[in-house]
Amino acid sequence: MKKIKVTMYFPANKIAIPLAYHLIKNYNLMVNILNADVSLNKVGTLVVDIEGEEKDIEAGLKYVRQIGAEYAVFNKSIIWKEESCVHCGTCTAVCPSGALKMDKSDWSLTFDKEKCLVCELCVKACPLRVMSVKNGDII
Amino acid sequence: MSYKTIEEINEKVRAGKAVVLTAEEMIDIVEEKGVKQAAKEVDVVTTGTFGPMCSSGAFINFGHSDPPIKMTKVWLNDVPAFAGLAAVDAYIGATELSESRGMEYGGAHVIEDLIAGKDIHLVAESYGTHCYPRKEISTYINKNNINQAFMFNPRNAYQNYNAATNSSNKIMYTYMGTLLPRCGNVTYSTSGQLSPLLNDPLYRTIGIGTRIFFGGAQGYVVWEGTQHNPEQKRGENGVPMGPAGTLALIGDLKQMSTKYVRAAVYQQYGVSIFIGVGIPIPIIDEDMAEKTAVRNKDIYTNVIDYSVSSGPRPVLKRVSYEELMSGSIELNGKTVPTAPLSSIKKAREIANVLKEWILKGEFLLTQPVASLPLTNTVNKLEIRNRTEGVQNEKD
C-alpha cells in the first residue's frame, strides 16, 4: 500500500465528471478530499490523499490525464522546527485545513502532517520562522 | 480587611514557608475554599505573559576605544541604533529594521543574539572632536565585552487588548497576524487569567519599583507604560474591557535568556519581540484574593474591524476570552475561527518559574515605591497648525 497527496486541476468543461467516484470504484483507491475549489466555468482544483496499491495509483492517475485533467503529486512538505517554537498559535490563524491546531489541554501547537495541504501560508505567517518548506523526492 | 503586609510575606518567603500559587491554581483554591479562607492561606499568586511587545529595546554602553570616538551614528549587525546620547551609549529598538536584510532581521534579533552571547558587528561614525578624535569604527561586541546592557521597554504587559478581524475583501497583514478577508478569522493576544495586570486590575500591588520576572531575569517596573489608559471602561470586577494599563520595565539584558526573549517577524508589518513577563501578586487581603481568582470567562474584549483604516475602528462584538479560546466565535451569524498570538504555554511556564523562585527564597516581593496612576487618558495626535503662545494645561 502506498499513500500520496495530489492536486488535481480540472478544465472548466470537465468539472461535471465524478472523478473521485471513478477512482474509488474502478481503481480500488481510497480517496480523501482535503480541499476542493470547484465552481462553474472556472478551473477546479482538488487536493486529495490517494491510498492504494502502487499499480492502482498509477492506473488511476493515468485515468485522470485521460479525461483531460492535470495533476501534480506533492513533492514538498512543511517542516516544523518544534524545538524553536514558542507555541504562540499565530500560524493557526491561516492554516486552511486545521493541520496546525492548539492543544487546549496545555496550549501546545500540534501539527498533523496528514492534514497539511502544503499551502505554505504558515511559513510566512510564523513570526519565529520555525516553519519551512522541504522539497522531497516522492514523485 | 488586611491580613498581611509585604514584609510579613517576605519573612515567610525567607523561611521557605510562603504559600505560592499560580493565577490558574488560585482560581481552583478560591472556588474550593472561598475568598476569605484563600486570602488567609495564600501568600503570593504568580502571573505570566509571553507575547509580542513592540515597544521594547535596550540601552548599551560599548566602552571606549583607543583613540576614542563620540559615536553619532551606530549600526549593530546593520540595524541602526539611536546614538543621540553620550559618546558610547546607544539604544537599540526592537522594531528597527536591518539596512541590508529588511524585515527579516531587526533590533529584536540583535537583542536576542546579544542575549545568546553571539558576536555582533558594531559600526559607528562620528564627526570627530578634540576629545574624541576617531571618526569611524568597525568591530565586534558581545555581552561579555560591553559595559551595561539593560532592556528598557517603554510599553509592555498591556492590560487587555482588542481582538482583530477584517471585514474587507482583501487579506490584511498586521501586527495582529494575518487577517483573512470577509472576517475569515479573529486573532487575539492575551494570557487571560494568567495575565499580570488582569490579576491586579486597579494596580493595588503592582506599582513603580515592583520586582518582576523579566525575560528570564529579575527586573523592575519603572513607570507607567506609554499609552497607559486606566480610564478604559471596566466591568464590575474592575477588569478593563479593552486596552488599558501598561508598564515600563527595566532589567539586565546580560542575565536574560533567549527562552524568554525571542525576535519575531510579522509578514509585511515588520519586526517585533516576544518578551516574557511575570509579576508576583502579594495576597494582602480578601480583595486581592478575589481579584487573582479572575477567570477567562470574566475577562472581556472587543472584536475590532482592522479593515477600517480611518476614524475609530468599529467594534463588531464584545466577547470573553473563554469564548475566544474555545477556537471559534459567532460573528454576524457565522462561525469564525479564532487564533491566539500570545503563548499561553510560555505564560504558564513563566508563572511556574516565578513561583519556584519565590518558593526557593530567591525572589522577594516589593512594596511599590509609588502607585501607577488611576487617572489618565490617551491623547490623539491631531494634525494642526501652530498656535501662538505657550500651551499649558495647568494654566
Side-chain angles (χ1 to χ4, degrees), chain A residues 84 86 89 93 104 108 127 129, chain B residues 104 185 262 264-265 325 343 345:
Chain A
S84 299
V86 297
K104 295 285 164 50
S108 295
R129 296 292 186 254
Chain B
E104 280 307 304
N185 60 2
R262 294 289 299 277
V265 179
M325 288 176 187
S343 174
K345 187 184 169 85

Side-chain angles (χ1 to χ4, degrees), chain A residues 37-94:
Chain A
D37 182 8
V38 182
S39 40
L40 288 174
N41 295 324
K42 271 175 70 180
V43 175
T45 55
L46 200 61
V47 182
V48 292
D49 268 337
I50 298 178
E51 195 172 351
E53 295 298 333
E54 193 153 359
K55 62 174 183 20
D56 291 336
I57 292 177
E58 270 176 36
L61 290 175
K62 209 170 155 188
Y63 164 73
V64 172
R65 284 246 162 88
Q66 266 171 16
I67 64 159
E70 276 301 320
Y71 68 84
V73 179
F74 275 45
N75 65 341
K76 292 195 285 188
S77 56
I78 294 294
I79 304 296
W80 173 35
K81 210 171 145 196
E82 190 175 352
E83 69 280 8
S84 299
C85 180
V86 297
H87 306 269
C88 62
T90 308
C91 58
T92 64
V94 295

Side-chain angles (χ1 to χ4, degrees), chain A:
Chain A
M1 291 287 269
K2 189 180 169 187
K3 190 172 178 181
I4 58 167
K5 201 170 275 185
V6 183
T7 306
M8 295 191 279
Y9 307 93
F10 303 83
N13 59 348
K14 302 287 183 196
I15 59 169
I17 297 173
L19 185 81
Y21 169 82
H22 287 298
L23 289 176
I24 295 164
K25 186 139 195 304
N26 303 336
Y27 297 91
N28 198 28
L29 296 172
M30 248 161 71
V31 178
N32 183 20
I33 299 174
L34 301 168
N35 192 33
D37 182 8
V38 182
S39 40
L40 288 174
N41 295 324
K42 271 175 70 180
V43 175
T45 55
L46 200 61
V47 182
V48 292
D49 268 337
I50 298 178
E51 195 172 351
E53 295 298 333
E54 193 153 359
K55 62 174 183 20
D56 291 336
I57 292 177
E58 270 176 36
L61 290 175
K62 209 170 155 188
Y63 164 73
V64 172
R65 284 246 162 88
Q66 266 171 16
I67 64 159
E70 276 301 320
Y71 68 84
V73 179
F74 275 45
N75 65 341
K76 292 195 285 188
S77 56
I78 294 294
I79 304 296
W80 173 35
K81 210 171 145 196
E82 190 175 352
E83 69 280 8
S84 299
C85 180
V86 297
H87 306 269
C88 62
T90 308
C91 58
T92 64
V94 295
C95 180
S97 66
L100 290 161
K101 266 189 176 167
M102 301 313 288
D103 175 346
K104 295 285 164 50
S105 64
D106 67 349
W107 287 93
S108 295
L109 180 70
T110 59
F111 178 39
D112 183 349
K113 275 199 161 187
E114 293 285 308
K115 285 189 184 168
C116 178
L117 307 175
V118 200
C119 68
E120 301 180 29
L121 287 174
C122 58
V123 175
K124 289 180 176 167
C126 170
L128 278 296
R129 296 292 186 254
V130 302
M131 312 300 291
S132 57
V133 194
K134 187 184 141 202
N135 284 306
D137 48 7
I138 43 165
I139 296 191

Side-chain angles (χ1 to χ4, degrees), chain B residues 179-220:
Chain B
L179 300 176
L180 303 174
R182 296 173 288 280
C183 295
N185 60 2
V186 170
T187 61
Y188 61 96
S189 185
T190 190
S191 58
Q193 60 200 22
L194 269 168
S195 178
L197 288 178
L198 293 175
N199 278 276
D200 184 5
L202 298 166
Y203 330 121
R204 287 190 62 222
T205 68
I206 300 171
I208 294 165
T210 297
R211 185 180 294 122
I212 62 168
F213 172 108
F214 187 32
Q218 293 190 15
Y220 298 89

